[in-house]
């Protein structure tokens, strides 16, 4: 059974760092887009960062460029999101997602992703 399991969320003060992990099981996600999305209360789910596993191309929302880094460890079948210089507006539930590369036209578009994890909460206090 395909499964994405996030971990690493927590509470941190502004300026701090967290690293989120997404363990993928079930089958290999080669030639997939994998992404991190977030949703704050009362807001739509938004794309934060994505990676094309086939060529290791990365994509970032303007709001996180220079602060967040997405990466993958193929040996561990794990996706990461390193978050530095966190701001209170980064507070949200963060989700890992995956989609076959051939169906994705907008890597940061949540509606294009088929497989989702259960989410991990990130809270940044000022």
């Amino acid at each position: 059974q395909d499964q994405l399991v996030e971990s690493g969320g927590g509470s941190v003060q502004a300026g701090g760092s967290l690293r989120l992990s997404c363990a993928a099981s079930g089958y290999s996600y080669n030639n997939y887009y994998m992404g991190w999305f977030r949703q704050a209360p009362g807001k739509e789910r938004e794309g934060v960062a994505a990676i094309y596993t086939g060529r290791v191309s990365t994509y970032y929302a303007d709001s996180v460029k220079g602060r967040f880094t997405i990466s993958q460890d193929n040996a561990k079948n794990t996706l990461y999101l390193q978050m530095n210089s966190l701001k209170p507006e980064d507070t949200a539930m963060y989700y890992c997602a995956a989609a076959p590369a051939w169906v994705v036209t907008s890597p940061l578009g949540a509606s294009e992703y088929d497989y989702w994890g259960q989410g991990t909460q990130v809270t940044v206090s000022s």
Side-chain angles (χ1 to χ4, degrees), residues 24-102:
S25 62
Y27 60 87
S28 174
Y29 287 89
N30 288 330
N31 203 27
Y32 266 64
Y33 280 91
M34 297 194 73
W36 287 98
F37 297 80
R38 66 186 181 188
Q39 188 167 20
K43 294 188 176 182
E44 292 188 355
R45 190 169 297 189
E46 64 172 347
V48 174
I51 189 167
Y52 173 34
T53 62
R55 288 196 302 270
V56 199
S57 301
T58 57
Y59 309 83
Y60 295 95
D62 288 342
S63 59
V64 306
K65 280 180 182 176
R67 300 188 299 122
F68 291 11
T69 302
I70 189 171
S71 62
Q72 60 183 23
D73 185 330
N74 290 334
K76 296 181 179 179
N77 223 19
T78 300
L79 183 73
Y80 300 100
L81 184 68
Q82 178 66 44
M83 305 186 296
N84 299 328
S85 302
L86 282 161
K87 304 175 181 180
E89 51 264 42
D90 294 319
T91 296
M93 184 71 78
Y94 282 71
Y95 298 90
C96 170
W102 55 92

